[in-house]
Amino acid sequence: MLLSGINTDLATMVSVVAGCSNTGMLLLGRTLHGYAIKASFGRELTLNNSLLDMYSKSGDLNSAIQVFETMGERSVVSWTSMIAGYAREGLSDMSVRLFHEMEKEGISPDIFTITTILHACACTGLLENGKDVHNYIKENKMQSDLFVSNALMDMYAKCGSMGDAHLVFSEMQVKDIVSWNTMIGGYSKNSLPNEALNLFVEMQYNSKPNSITMACILPACASLAALERGQEIHGHILRNGFSLDRHVANALVDMYLKCGALGLARLLFDMIPAKDLVSWTVMVAGYGMHGYGSEAIAAFNEMRNSGIEPDEVSFISILYACSHSGLLDEGWGFFNMMRNNCGIEPKLEHYACIVDLLARTGNLSKAYRFIKRMPIEPDATIWGALLCGCRIYHDVKLAEKVAEHVFELEPENTGYYVLLANIYAEAEKWEEVKKLRERIGRRGLRKNPGCSWIEIKGKVHIFVAGDSSHPLANKIELLLKKTRTRMKEEGHFPKMRYALIKADDTEKEMALCGHSEKIAMAFGILSLPPGKTVRVTKNLRVCGDCHEMAKFMSKMVKRDIILRDTNRFHHFKDGSCSCRGHW
DNA sequence: GTAGGGTTAG
């Protein structure tokens, strides 16, 4: 246009600057800024607004602020763009400050401003500020706007307040696909997978799911290890041509990995044409969970060779992979690579991996010193990782010292009291177990009950410890008794230490037999066709005695058993387990 | 003919 000698006017300049902001062409944008000033558009409101947006969307917040500060006239559009600019850089507090400032200047926020400020609150979990905005919305009758209600639900979801999100959702007269996706994704992210799945079913009577819906619902299947539900959704993805979406492809691989289907996951991973950082991180974490440490390392190196730089999340994956396979030197190597070669400052999660790695490999005092020398304040998970190590190596004395740190940091978390109680029980210090029980009792805490579940023909069967309500309860008990007898015949005696009670051996054995994972495994063996892999998931860590029995059962009934606990997978096959003792 | 907003994977 310029070469043809046609003059630009304000509309031309605004359009082309907007073009730059939507493609992040900062350099061309700057040039246009200069050109516009020379062409004497420098005081035009619409031009300054588009420049402000261009700078903030291209990541040059300082220039955006410069435009905002120097422009003569400011409209609601200018304020909204500036608020969005701060939010984009993670400076939500500044967004909120600006929001109040604009009201003071007598400029009323409109629905664009409201969605922007809600997004800012969502990004950093500013629930209280978000609630203030909600009140403003009610006072100004803005809730009928879809964008506003959707942003409001997302704010509540990201602040972890799904009850409030659902309230907004249920009061919406009109819902669109974004409304459904926001709720489903919110439930998935807030560890409410059943709610996510139920809403997904309900959605299909109202709205047609899209690829984003798939990316929202798959993590729910993953967290439940609901393989069959996940496969149904995979079918949905194939029928609707969503497979090419990389978010969906990555979520699928992750789902199969967390459902224990490593081979299928690898197959799908190989089919992703352009693997990104998330694809690789998922695969590395998956190998780690399944105990394939060297495969995880190979994948991590392959990723780097393909030119993808690891970030802090992918380092968590590789460090955990090392820890699950007991690869101490390799783990240290990655920890140092992260700091020295990649310039990533380790966070609590990374320190937790190293403590875990040291503790699991028996370097308890080294782990203790490592924690003491950490440049950031350790949290309960850090000390908890060492406490786990104390259990593996039966170090009661250190355990007591470590436990006090843990109890101070997370006095409400019963898991840690139980862990220490286990350490005492395994050392047969029953007096101490009793004292600990009293301590829990005084606080009015209750142990998180163990439960295990198994999916059969799409239905999830849940078992809690001591469960005898199931129709097959008698058969289950019979199978467990038979297994125990055969185990004893071959010299495997029950690991009474895991019974956690002071009782005689028969009682202990009964308590152990009631563990939910045993019941679920037995139920799977009885219910699934011969040869089919039994897949059980448990909400806590697997018990040592159950682990022994699972190994034996896999040989006795000639069947693969895959048990997922909170920490990792155990593949039992022909009498041994893939974890090789690292758990 | 021109400026600002909501949902997705580790």
Side-chain angles (χ1 to χ4, degrees):
Chain A
M1 181 179 170
L2 288 175
L3 290 174
S4 317
I6 299 171
N7 271 338
T8 57
D9 68 1
L10 180 61
T12 326
M13 293 312 298
V14 170
S15 300
V16 74
V17 171
C20 289
S21 67
N22 294 328
T23 44
M25 299 176 80
L26 181 57
L27 274 162
L28 181 59
R30 279 208 187 99
T31 313
L32 289 164
H33 190 173
Y35 181 90
I37 288 173
K38 276 187 212 145
S40 67
F41 296 130
R43 298 198 62 77
E44 291 289 345
L45 177 64
T46 51
L47 180 86
N48 282 322
N49 281 343
S50 51
L51 283 169
L52 165 48
D53 187 54
M54 184 274 296
Y55 283 124
S56 112
K57 279 191 182 140
S58 332
D60 187 353
L61 186 64
N62 285 331
S63 298
I65 295 169
Q66 179 95 34
V67 173
F68 184 74
E69 296 291 340
T70 54
M71 62 198 284
E73 187 193 356
R74 286 179 199 150
S75 68
V76 62
V77 177
S78 334
W79 286 92
T80 305
S81 292
M82 203 60 241
I83 292 169
Y86 278 115
R88 221 170 265 126
E89 298 296 314
L91 302 165
S92 299
D93 291 332
M94 279 304 293
S95 296
V96 173
R97 214 153 100 191
L98 229 62
F99 181 69
H100 291 132
E101 230 173 88
M102 96 180 245
E103 281 194 282
K104 258 187 252 151
E105 299 231 338
I107 301 199
S108 304
D110 63 8
I111 52 172
F112 285 81
T113 324
I114 295 300
T115 49
T116 305
I117 193 69
L118 284 172
H119 183 72
C121 297
C123 287
T124 34
L126 302 173
L127 182 59
E128 289 314 309
N129 291 308
K131 282 186 172 169
D132 292 342
V133 179
H134 193 176
N135 285 330
Y136 184 93
I137 292 166
K138 285 183 196 158
E139 283 159 19
N140 293 277
K141 309 249 177 301
M142 287 170 155
Q143 63 267 58
S144 59
D145 184 87
L146 255 176
F147 272 80
V148 168
S149 288
N150 288 342
L152 195 52
M153 282 189 295
D154 185 53
M155 181 276 294
Y156 280 127
K158 295 232 160 71
C159 293
S161 197
M162 284 311 291
D164 288 309
H166 186 257
L167 211 61
V168 175
F169 182 73
S170 62
E171 285 172 358
M172 287 172 78
Q173 303 292 322
V174 185
K175 302 175 176 78
D176 68 357
I177 179 91
V178 178
S179 325
W180 290 97
N181 289 347
T182 303
M183 283 304 290
I184 293 171
Y187 280 132
S188 285
K189 278 233 160 84
N190 285 291
S191 314
L192 295 164
N194 289 309
E195 283 78 356
L197 283 164
N198 290 340
L199 201 64
F200 177 63
V201 171
E202 198 187 323
M203 169 188 187
Q204 293 172 58
Y205 297 104
N206 299 280
S207 203
K208 199 174 153 44
N210 62 9
S211 62
I212 295 180
T213 319
M214 301 300 127
C216 289
I217 193 67
L218 283 169
C221 302
S223 78
L224 288 170
L227 180 60
E228 290 175 32
R229 290 297 294 274
Q231 283 178 313
E232 272 175 41
I233 289 161
H234 190 182
H236 198 113
I237 288 166
L238 292 171
R239 287 192 298 279
N240 291 280
F242 298 145
S243 319
L244 294 174
D245 184 306
R246 202 156 51 192
H247 286 98
V248 173
N250 290 341
L252 259 179
V253 174
D254 186 55
M255 181 277 291
Y256 278 117
L257 286 168
K258 290 185 178 148
C259 290
L262 179 60
L264 211 52
R266 178 71 211 202
L267 210 67
L268 287 169
F269 173 78
D270 287 334
M271 281 162 59
I272 301 176
K275 298 165 189 60
D276 65 3
L277 180 60
V278 176
S279 325
W280 287 103
T281 306
V282 165
M283 207 57 227
V284 168
Y287 277 132
M289 285 187 285
H290 286 87
Y292 293 97
S294 46
E295 284 81 356
I297 292 173
F300 191 86
N301 290 334
E302 210 183 315
M303 169 183 87
R304 293 183 68 223
N305 289 336
S306 75
I308 295 174
E309 279 295 308
D311 69 350
E312 48 182 64
V313 184
S314 50
F315 272 110
I316 297 174
S317 293
I318 190 65
L319 289 172
Y320 255 117
C322 291
S323 141
H324 286 318
S325 293
L327 301 170
L328 181 58
D329 295 339
E330 291 83 348
W332 269 121
F334 287 115
F335 189 71
N336 290 328
M337 177 199 292
M338 172 171 79
R339 289 193 298 186
N340 306 335
N341 303 14
C342 302
I344 299 172
E345 201 47 49
K347 290 192 166 167
L348 275 173
E349 289 100 318
H350 304 103
Y351 286 106
C353 290
I354 295 293
V355 171
D356 194 72
L357 189 49
L358 286 168
R360 279 168 201 283
T361 47
N363 296 286
L364 297 182
S365 43
K366 215 169 175 179
Y368 186 82
R369 286 199 302 274
F370 181 78
I371 297 175
K372 283 286 177 192
R373 281 187 13 234
M374 272 173 57
I376 47 177
E377 205 52 44
D379 69 351
T381 48
I382 303 265
W383 289 110
L386 180 52
L387 195 57
C388 278
C390 294
R391 178 181 179 178
I392 300 170
Y393 295 96
H394 310 292
D395 190 333
V396 179
K397 236 179 139 181
L398 183 60
E400 286 176 329
K401 198 155 88 173
V402 170
E404 285 316 313
H405 288 286
V406 179
F407 297 158
E408 197 188 314
L409 289 162
E410 266 186 30
E412 304 294 316
N413 191 332
T414 45
Y416 294 123
Y417 296 99
V418 174
L419 186 51
L420 184 60
N422 275 306
I423 296 171
Y424 282 137
E426 285 164 30
E428 311 219 318
K429 291 182 181 286
W430 301 111
E431 265 311 299
E432 304 299 328
V433 175
K434 201 177 142 208
K435 274 190 222 158
L436 204 57
R437 289 210 162 169
E438 284 164 5
R439 190 165 165 185
I440 302 174
R442 271 202 308 279
R443 297 188 144 272
L445 299 174
R446 286 192 56 133
K447 179 183 174 288
N448 188 13
C451 84
S452 300
W453 60 93
I454 182 168
E455 188 188 42
I456 288 171
K457 285 187 186 149
K459 191 176 180 313
V460 178
H461 301 259
I462 306 172
F463 299 91
V464 295
D467 211 327
S468 57
S469 59
H470 199 274
L472 285 184
N474 286 334
K475 283 190 165 177
I476 292 170
E477 205 185 319
L478 218 63
L479 175 60
L480 290 176
K481 271 193 180 149
K482 195 176 99 189
T483 312
R484 184 67 86 195
T485 310
R486 292 273 293 274
M487 281 178 82
K488 284 182 184 164
E489 282 166 13
E490 298 196 16
H492 302 283
F493 289 95
K495 301 210 162 187
M496 300 299 190
R497 297 190 306 234
Y498 295 104
L500 247 197
I501 49 170
K502 189 183 185 200
D504 70 31
D505 285 357
T506 326
E507 285 172 72
K508 280 190 184 179
E509 207 177 309
M510 276 172 61
L512 285 171
C513 263
H515 278 181
S516 64
E517 56 267 51
K518 285 196 187 84
I519 304 178
M521 287 190 290
F523 176 70
I525 291 167
L526 293 168
S527 315
L528 289 165
K532 189 150 189 204
T533 301
V534 176
R535 296 165 190 275
V536 170
T537 312
K538 190 185 178 186
N539 69 335
L540 305 171
R541 295 273 283 276
V542 60
C543 134
D545 183 64
C546 294
H547 194 264
E548 280 304 301
M549 190 181 261
K551 283 203 255 181
F552 193 84
M553 277 206 266
S554 71
K555 194 170 72 181
M556 187 178 93
V557 298
K558 294 190 180 54
R559 218 200 272 248
D560 287 15
I561 300 171
I562 299 182
L563 178 65
R564 192 187 96 178
D565 67 9
T566 37
N567 211 34
R568 60 167 298 145
F569 278 95
H570 301 266
H571 287 233
F572 302 99
K573 192 183 173 71
D574 297 331
S576 57
C577 178
S578 63
C579 77
R580 301 184 302 267
H582 301 292
W583 43 292

